Each structure stands twice: as structure tokens, then as C-alpha cells.
mmCIF file of all heavy atoms in Angstrom:
data_model
loop_
_atom_site.group_PDB
_atom_site.id
_atom_site.type_symbol
_atom_site.label_atom_id
_atom_site.label_comp_id
_atom_site.label_asym_id
_atom_site.label_seq_id
_atom_site.Cartn_x
_atom_site.Cartn_y
_atom_site.Cartn_z
ATOM 1 N N ASP A 255 -15.602 18.079 -1.275
ATOM 2 C CA ASP A 255 -15.533 19.545 -1.367
ATOM 3 C C ASP A 255 -14.226 20.068 -0.792
ATOM 4 O O ASP A 255 -13.764 21.140 -1.153
ATOM 5 C CB ASP A 255 -16.719 20.179 -0.637
ATOM 6 C CG ASP A 255 -18.023 20.040 -1.382
ATOM 7 O OD1 ASP A 255 -17.976 19.812 -2.618
ATOM 8 O OD2 ASP A 255 -19.077 20.144 -0.751
ATOM 9 N N ILE A 256 -13.607 19.287 0.113
ATOM 10 C CA ILE A 256 -12.340 19.687 0.725
ATOM 11 C C ILE A 256 -11.171 19.184 -0.121
ATOM 12 O O ILE A 256 -10.244 19.914 -0.436
ATOM 13 C CB ILE A 256 -12.260 19.141 2.154
ATOM 14 C CG1 ILE A 256 -13.396 19.745 2.984
ATOM 15 C CG2 ILE A 256 -10.895 19.438 2.760
ATOM 16 C CD1 ILE A 256 -13.604 19.083 4.329
ATOM 17 N N THR A 257 -11.194 17.904 -0.504
ATOM 18 C CA THR A 257 -10.148 17.323 -1.331
ATOM 19 C C THR A 257 -10.642 16.075 -2.039
ATOM 20 O O THR A 257 -11.540 15.385 -1.497
ATOM 21 C CB THR A 257 -8.889 16.959 -0.508
ATOM 22 O OG1 THR A 257 -7.884 16.458 -1.409
ATOM 23 C CG2 THR A 257 -9.184 15.914 0.550
ATOM 24 N N GLU A 258 -10.126 15.784 -3.178
ATOM 25 C CA GLU A 258 -10.442 14.540 -3.897
ATOM 26 C C GLU A 258 -9.229 13.620 -3.902
ATOM 27 O O GLU A 258 -9.134 12.697 -4.690
ATOM 28 C CB GLU A 258 -10.902 14.855 -5.321
ATOM 29 C CG GLU A 258 -12.247 15.556 -5.343
ATOM 30 C CD GLU A 258 -12.763 15.807 -6.734
ATOM 31 O OE1 GLU A 258 -12.193 15.298 -7.697
ATOM 32 O OE2 GLU A 258 -13.763 16.543 -6.828
ATOM 33 N N GLY A 259 -8.295 13.878 -2.998
ATOM 34 C CA GLY A 259 -7.139 12.987 -2.858
ATOM 35 C C GLY A 259 -5.870 13.639 -3.328
ATOM 36 O O GLY A 259 -5.849 14.698 -3.921
ATOM 37 N N ASP A 260 -4.765 12.927 -3.031
ATOM 38 C CA ASP A 260 -3.430 13.406 -3.359
ATOM 39 C C ASP A 260 -2.573 12.181 -3.652
ATOM 40 O O ASP A 260 -2.377 11.342 -2.765
ATOM 41 C CB ASP A 260 -2.866 14.215 -2.207
ATOM 42 C CG ASP A 260 -1.522 14.815 -2.484
ATOM 43 O OD1 ASP A 260 -0.799 14.293 -3.346
ATOM 44 O OD2 ASP A 260 -1.176 15.802 -1.822
ATOM 45 N N ARG A 261 -2.076 12.052 -4.856
ATOM 46 C CA ARG A 261 -1.274 10.888 -5.230
ATOM 47 C C ARG A 261 0.024 10.769 -4.436
ATOM 48 O O ARG A 261 0.666 9.743 -4.423
ATOM 49 C CB ARG A 261 -0.970 10.879 -6.717
ATOM 50 C CG ARG A 261 -2.203 10.556 -7.547
ATOM 51 C CD ARG A 261 -1.734 9.888 -8.823
ATOM 52 N NE ARG A 261 -2.820 9.271 -9.543
ATOM 53 C CZ ARG A 261 -3.196 7.991 -9.353
ATOM 54 N NH1 ARG A 261 -2.590 7.242 -8.488
ATOM 55 N NH2 ARG A 261 -4.157 7.487 -10.072
ATOM 56 N N ASP A 262 0.423 11.842 -3.770
ATOM 57 C CA ASP A 262 1.652 11.796 -2.957
ATOM 58 C C ASP A 262 1.434 11.146 -1.597
ATOM 59 O O ASP A 262 2.383 10.870 -0.878
ATOM 60 C CB ASP A 262 2.208 13.210 -2.769
ATOM 61 C CG ASP A 262 2.751 13.791 -4.051
ATOM 62 O OD1 ASP A 262 3.166 13.018 -4.939
ATOM 63 O OD2 ASP A 262 2.734 15.034 -4.187
ATOM 64 N N ILE A 263 0.188 10.916 -1.237
ATOM 65 C CA ILE A 263 -0.137 10.293 0.040
ATOM 66 C C ILE A 263 -0.313 8.794 -0.190
ATOM 67 O O ILE A 263 -1.030 8.357 -1.058
ATOM 68 C CB ILE A 263 -1.423 10.891 0.644
ATOM 69 C CG1 ILE A 263 -1.219 12.358 0.978
ATOM 70 C CG2 ILE A 263 -1.862 10.090 1.883
ATOM 71 C CD1 ILE A 263 -2.473 13.062 1.423
ATOM 72 N N GLN A 264 0.395 7.988 0.618
ATOM 73 C CA GLN A 264 0.282 6.543 0.566
ATOM 74 C C GLN A 264 -0.393 6.039 1.830
ATOM 75 O O GLN A 264 -0.139 6.534 2.922
ATOM 76 C CB GLN A 264 1.657 5.906 0.426
ATOM 77 C CG GLN A 264 2.338 6.252 -0.879
ATOM 78 C CD GLN A 264 3.679 5.567 -1.025
ATOM 79 O OE1 GLN A 264 4.121 4.814 -0.172
ATOM 80 N NE2 GLN A 264 4.334 5.816 -2.129
ATOM 81 N N ILE A 265 -1.277 5.051 1.654
ATOM 82 C CA ILE A 265 -1.992 4.469 2.780
ATOM 83 C C ILE A 265 -1.676 2.984 2.845
ATOM 84 O O ILE A 265 -1.766 2.298 1.833
ATOM 85 C CB ILE A 265 -3.520 4.675 2.622
ATOM 86 C CG1 ILE A 265 -3.851 6.163 2.605
ATOM 87 C CG2 ILE A 265 -4.290 3.958 3.728
ATOM 88 C CD1 ILE A 265 -5.299 6.459 2.255
ATOM 89 N N LEU A 266 -1.333 2.489 4.010
ATOM 90 C CA LEU A 266 -1.085 1.077 4.193
ATOM 91 C C LEU A 266 -2.327 0.450 4.771
ATOM 92 O O LEU A 266 -2.855 0.887 5.787
ATOM 93 C CB LEU A 266 0.098 0.878 5.156
ATOM 94 C CG LEU A 266 0.424 -0.560 5.524
ATOM 95 C CD1 LEU A 266 0.826 -1.353 4.282
ATOM 96 C CD2 LEU A 266 1.535 -0.582 6.572
ATOM 97 N N GLN A 267 -2.809 -0.593 4.077
ATOM 98 C CA GLN A 267 -4.008 -1.281 4.512
ATOM 99 C C GLN A 267 -3.651 -2.716 4.873
ATOM 100 O O GLN A 267 -3.129 -3.447 4.053
ATOM 101 C CB GLN A 267 -5.067 -1.281 3.389
ATOM 102 C CG GLN A 267 -6.269 -2.121 3.712
ATOM 103 C CD GLN A 267 -7.240 -2.221 2.540
ATOM 104 O OE1 GLN A 267 -7.393 -1.281 1.790
ATOM 105 N NE2 GLN A 267 -7.878 -3.358 2.392
ATOM 106 N N PHE A 268 -3.897 -3.095 6.111
ATOM 107 C CA PHE A 268 -3.704 -4.480 6.536
ATOM 108 C C PHE A 268 -5.013 -5.205 6.350
ATOM 109 O O PHE A 268 -6.021 -4.855 6.955
ATOM 110 C CB PHE A 268 -3.278 -4.561 8.002
ATOM 111 C CG PHE A 268 -1.860 -4.117 8.231
ATOM 112 C CD1 PHE A 268 -1.585 -2.864 8.707
ATOM 113 C CD2 PHE A 268 -0.811 -4.985 7.948
ATOM 114 C CE1 PHE A 268 -0.285 -2.464 8.921
ATOM 115 C CE2 PHE A 268 0.485 -4.600 8.156
ATOM 116 C CZ PHE A 268 0.761 -3.338 8.641
ATOM 117 N N SER A 269 -5.019 -6.228 5.517
ATOM 118 C CA SER A 269 -6.221 -6.991 5.275
ATOM 119 C C SER A 269 -5.815 -8.336 4.703
ATOM 120 O O SER A 269 -4.623 -8.651 4.662
ATOM 121 C CB SER A 269 -7.156 -6.250 4.313
ATOM 122 O OG SER A 269 -8.411 -6.878 4.276
ATOM 123 N N THR A 270 -6.775 -9.089 4.232
ATOM 124 C CA THR A 270 -6.456 -10.415 3.688
ATOM 125 C C THR A 270 -6.549 -10.449 2.177
ATOM 126 O O THR A 270 -6.716 -11.488 1.591
ATOM 127 C CB THR A 270 -7.413 -11.460 4.273
ATOM 128 O OG1 THR A 270 -8.763 -11.051 4.044
ATOM 129 C CG2 THR A 270 -7.174 -11.643 5.755
ATOM 130 N N GLY A 271 -6.412 -9.319 1.538
ATOM 131 C CA GLY A 271 -6.361 -9.310 0.095
ATOM 132 C C GLY A 271 -7.393 -8.423 -0.547
ATOM 133 O O GLY A 271 -8.384 -8.039 0.066
ATOM 134 N N VAL A 272 -7.144 -8.112 -1.827
ATOM 135 C CA VAL A 272 -8.011 -7.227 -2.593
ATOM 136 C C VAL A 272 -8.271 -7.896 -3.934
ATOM 137 O O VAL A 272 -7.344 -8.409 -4.562
ATOM 138 C CB VAL A 272 -7.350 -5.857 -2.797
ATOM 139 C CG1 VAL A 272 -8.191 -4.977 -3.682
ATOM 140 C CG2 VAL A 272 -7.086 -5.194 -1.458
ATOM 141 N N ALA A 273 -9.507 -7.885 -4.395
ATOM 142 C CA ALA A 273 -9.835 -8.479 -5.678
ATOM 143 C C ALA A 273 -9.174 -7.705 -6.810
ATOM 144 O O ALA A 273 -8.935 -6.502 -6.713
ATOM 145 C CB ALA A 273 -11.349 -8.472 -5.896
ATOM 146 N N ASN A 274 -8.837 -8.404 -7.871
ATOM 147 C CA ASN A 274 -8.254 -7.786 -9.050
ATOM 148 C C ASN A 274 -9.404 -7.090 -9.800
ATOM 149 O O ASN A 274 -10.111 -7.717 -10.578
ATOM 150 C CB ASN A 274 -7.600 -8.848 -9.906
ATOM 151 C CG ASN A 274 -6.822 -8.247 -11.062
ATOM 152 O OD1 ASN A 274 -6.755 -7.030 -11.195
ATOM 153 N ND2 ASN A 274 -6.247 -9.102 -11.878
ATOM 154 N N HIS A 275 -9.584 -5.802 -9.559
ATOM 155 C CA HIS A 275 -10.694 -5.048 -10.132
ATOM 156 C C HIS A 275 -10.135 -3.824 -10.872
ATOM 157 O O HIS A 275 -9.222 -3.155 -10.367
ATOM 158 C CB HIS A 275 -11.634 -4.617 -9.016
ATOM 159 C CG HIS A 275 -12.910 -3.996 -9.523
ATOM 160 N ND1 HIS A 275 -12.969 -2.687 -9.944
ATOM 161 C CD2 HIS A 275 -14.138 -4.524 -9.679
ATOM 162 C CE1 HIS A 275 -14.208 -2.433 -10.348
ATOM 163 N NE2 HIS A 275 -14.929 -3.521 -10.183
ATOM 164 N N GLU A 276 -10.707 -3.503 -11.991
ATOM 165 C CA GLU A 276 -10.203 -2.400 -12.835
ATOM 166 C C GLU A 276 -10.151 -1.070 -12.127
ATOM 167 O O GLU A 276 -9.346 -0.210 -12.454
ATOM 168 C CB GLU A 276 -11.030 -2.295 -14.118
ATOM 169 C CG GLU A 276 -12.474 -1.890 -13.855
ATOM 170 C CD GLU A 276 -13.345 -1.946 -15.113
ATOM 171 O OE1 GLU A 276 -13.237 -2.924 -15.854
ATOM 172 O OE2 GLU A 276 -14.106 -0.990 -15.317
ATOM 173 N N ASP A 277 -11.000 -0.848 -11.136
ATOM 174 C CA ASP A 277 -10.983 0.415 -10.391
ATOM 175 C C ASP A 277 -9.881 0.473 -9.352
ATOM 176 O O ASP A 277 -9.622 1.537 -8.781
ATOM 177 C CB ASP A 277 -12.316 0.640 -9.678
ATOM 178 C CG ASP A 277 -13.394 1.153 -10.615
ATOM 179 O OD1 ASP A 277 -13.072 1.460 -11.780
ATOM 180 O OD2 ASP A 277 -14.545 1.266 -10.191
ATOM 181 N N LEU A 278 -9.235 -0.676 -9.065
ATOM 182 C CA LEU A 278 -8.264 -0.730 -7.987
ATOM 183 C C LEU A 278 -6.835 -1.010 -8.439
ATOM 184 O O LEU A 278 -5.890 -0.551 -7.819
ATOM 185 C CB LEU A 278 -8.678 -1.786 -6.966
ATOM 186 C CG LEU A 278 -10.040 -1.587 -6.314
ATOM 187 C CD1 LEU A 278 -10.358 -2.788 -5.428
ATOM 188 C CD2 LEU A 278 -10.083 -0.317 -5.528
ATOM 189 N N THR A 279 -6.656 -1.806 -9.493
ATOM 190 C CA THR A 279 -5.317 -2.312 -9.826
ATOM 191 C C THR A 279 -4.299 -1.210 -10.062
ATOM 192 O O THR A 279 -3.131 -1.394 -9.759
ATOM 193 C CB THR A 279 -5.393 -3.233 -11.062
ATOM 194 O OG1 THR A 279 -6.022 -2.552 -12.133
ATOM 195 C CG2 THR A 279 -6.160 -4.505 -10.750
ATOM 196 N N GLU A 280 -4.711 -0.085 -10.563
ATOM 197 C CA GLU A 280 -3.794 1.030 -10.798
ATOM 198 C C GLU A 280 -3.273 1.634 -9.518
ATOM 199 O O GLU A 280 -2.192 2.216 -9.472
ATOM 200 C CB GLU A 280 -4.541 2.092 -11.632
ATOM 201 C CG GLU A 280 -3.845 3.394 -11.826
ATOM 202 C CD GLU A 280 -4.725 4.364 -12.603
ATOM 203 O OE1 GLU A 280 -5.394 3.970 -13.576
ATOM 204 O OE2 GLU A 280 -4.752 5.536 -12.215
#
């Protein structure tokens, strides 16, 4: 209700990897 995101904001995630998934690859 406040925001659905902003493509100008970048987030750095430290982890051990992300699966190749159609909802994420873009």
C-alpha cells in the first residue's frame, strides 16, 4: 500500500547463490 518497489533502487545480497528461476533472472 506504501510502495511496490522502485527500479532505481539496487540491493546487494550476500549469499551463496540464487536458482535460475523465471521470476528472478530479470
Side-chain angles (χ1 to χ4, degrees):
D255 286 339
I256 299 168
T257 182
E258 292 183 9
D260 183 336
R261 287 209 167 269
D262 291 333
I263 296 174
Q264 295 182 1
I265 298 172
L266 176 62
Q267 173 185 326
F268 287 100
S269 190
T270 55
V272 176
N274 188 2
H275 189 280
E276 65 187 45
D277 280 354
L278 301 175
T279 54
E280 172 182 319

